[in-house]
């Protein structure tokens, strides 16, 4: 089994594949000014098993295109959507987030939680902009420094894993320079990482190793997760995901 298949096996049972929470998604929806609007066309990009997709479908009058390149995650999302009778609002598409099929200026909103880092924040927001209607909304969460300075070990760790990690003011400057008008920013509270993401993963690591006979590849993935979790527990004052909500601007 290759590393991607192992990651899918480890994360597929999770309610989320990145830090987040339904209440956080609802807060971003409110900041985006979407509640009450009719017949919205939304894409949830890098949706995973669709925790945010389901919140969007429950909350809004919308058709949602749920995009992820892992078909197994989309199957779980479809099962969940049918169970809640939301299947008619959600269409899944097994596609790469850097080769999207939408017409230019066709979407009211692009949603993406804990996923844009896969193609890079700046590259992603620039590429996705064309698909938004002139006043369309972008709502993305992205790894963010919470303070201007921090311990060197932490800087070194995240710059190795995600060199685009930066402060909220730097991310907002990128949005402005990329043709967006910022509407809101807030950092995700730590329960989104610990209670909603890392503790469930810690609970699954033992069974994951057993399923894969303690293979070298499975052990490497477990070690990576343990290191990331330890960094979070030690340094959570200094970083989180930031949720960025912006409107396409043509000025
Ligand atoms: N939004 C979900 C999942 C976040 S994890 C949540 O918040 O729970 C990131 C997701 O992006 C994973 O589901 C992964 O399969 C997907 N992904 C990673 N690279 C991708 C790419 N290049 N194209 C499409 N999906 C990708």
């Amino acid at each position: 089994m290759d590393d991607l298949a192992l990651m899918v096996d480890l994360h597929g049972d999770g309610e989320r594949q990145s830090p987040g929470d339904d209440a956080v998604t609802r807060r971003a929806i409110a900041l985006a000014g979407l509640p009450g609007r009719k017949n919205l066309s939304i894409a949830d990009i890098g949706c995973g098993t669709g925790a945010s997709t389901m919140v969007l479908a429950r909350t809004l009058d919308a058709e949602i295109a749920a995009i992820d390149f892992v078909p197994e995650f989309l199957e779980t999302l479809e099962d969940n959507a049918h169970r809640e009778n939301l299947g008619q609002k959600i269409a899944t598409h097994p596609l790469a987030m850097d080769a999207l099929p939408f017409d230019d200026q066709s979407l009211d909103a692009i949603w993406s939680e804990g996923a844009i880092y896969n193609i890079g924040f700046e590259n992603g927001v620039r590429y996705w902009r064309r698909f938004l209607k002139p006043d369309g909304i972008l709502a993305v969460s992205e790894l963010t420094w919470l303070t201007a300075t921090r311990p060197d070990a932490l800087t070194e760790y995240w710059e190795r894993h995600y060199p685009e990690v930066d402060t909220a003011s730097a991310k907002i400057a990128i949005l402005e320079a990329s043709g967006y008008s910022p509407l809101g920013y807030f950092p995700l509270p730590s329960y989104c990482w610990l209670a909603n993401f890392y503790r469930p993963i810690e609970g699954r690591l033992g069974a994951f190793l057993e399923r894969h006979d303690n293979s070298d590849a499975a052990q490497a993935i477990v070690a990576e997760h343990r290191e990331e979790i330890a960094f979070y527990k030690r340094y959570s004052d200094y970083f989180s995901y930031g949720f960025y909500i912006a409107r396409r601007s043509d000025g």
Side-chain angles (χ1 to χ4, degrees), residues 132-214:
L132 287 172
K133 293 179 185 174
D135 61 350
I137 294 289
L138 174 79
V140 294
S141 65
E142 161 79 347
L143 192 71
T144 298
W145 296 133
L146 301 179
T147 56
T149 60
R150 66 206 69 84
D152 289 344
L154 178 63
T155 306
E156 192 275 326
Y157 174 81
W158 274 122
E159 287 194 344
R160 188 153 38 91
H161 287 89
Y162 186 53
E164 276 191 65
V165 60
D166 214 332
T167 54
S169 54
K171 296 289 171 187
I172 288 170
I174 289 172
L175 289 171
E176 289 168 337
S178 305
Y180 295 93
S181 180
L183 300 178
Y185 154 77
F186 62 94
L188 268 58
S190 71
Y191 75 87
C192 294
W193 294 75
L194 293 172
N196 291 7
F197 189 52
Y198 284 151
R199 286 205 194 106
I201 291 173
E202 286 175 319
R204 294 197 299 271
L205 291 177
F208 170 77
L209 281 173
E210 269 178 36
R211 268 200 306 284
H212 300 288
D213 297 325
N214 284 299

Side-chain angles (χ1 to χ4, degrees), residues 4 15-20 44-52 67-70 73 95-98 112-115 117-119:
L4 178 61
E15 202 187 316
R16 295 179 170 272
Q17 288 73 43
S18 78
D44 187 354
I45 302 178
C47 61
T49 59
S52 58
I67 313 267
D68 202 285
F69 71 1
V70 174
F73 289 168
L95 294 171
M97 61 175 75
D98 56 359
S112 185
E113 298 195 18
Y117 72 89
N118 287 290
I119 57 170

